[in-house]
Amino acid sequence: MQIPENPDNNDIREALIQLREELGQKVEDLGDKVEKLEYKFDVYQKGTDGMVRMATTIIIATASVVVLSSLSPAVTAIITALSNANAG
């Protein structure tokens, strides 16, 4: 944008119109960038939520296996004792 040494009203008007158009384009570009960032954040957040759910499921399943495997001999002994008591 060039403004002459001695601008008249039309020159000032044209400069203001050009400035408004440039600013409008910059605001529009900034809005597009913000929208893209929001989309990227949403995708990242959904991915993170999925990983947390998967990790929680794995931890619960592992804990269940550990607890049940340690109880298995005791349960077997109780069932054997009960069946021997009923048979005798």
Side-chain angles (χ1 to χ4, degrees):
M1 170 172 45
Q2 292 182 348
I3 299 177
E5 289 278 329
N6 296 318
D8 61 12
N9 284 342
N10 284 335
D11 293 331
I12 294 172
R13 182 177 181 275
E14 290 297 321
L16 289 173
I17 290 171
Q18 186 178 0
L19 179 64
R20 182 185 65 180
E21 289 173 356
E22 289 174 5
L23 286 175
Q25 183 62 41
K26 288 183 180 183
V27 168
E28 186 176 322
D29 292 345
L30 184 60
D32 291 343
K33 287 180 182 179
V34 168
E35 188 176 319
K36 288 177 186 175
L37 285 173
E38 287 175 353
Y39 173 76
K40 287 180 182 179
F41 180 75
D42 287 345
V43 169
Y44 174 79
Q45 187 67 40
K46 288 177 184 176
T48 302
D49 290 346
M51 284 189 296
V52 167
R53 273 188 258 118
M54 182 176 60
T56 303
T57 302
I58 291 170
I59 290 169
I60 290 171
T62 304
S64 299
V65 168
V66 168
V67 168
L68 292 176
S69 67
S70 65
L71 290 178
S72 178
V75 171
T76 304
I78 291 171
I79 292 173
T80 304
L82 288 175
S83 69
N84 286 342
N86 287 337

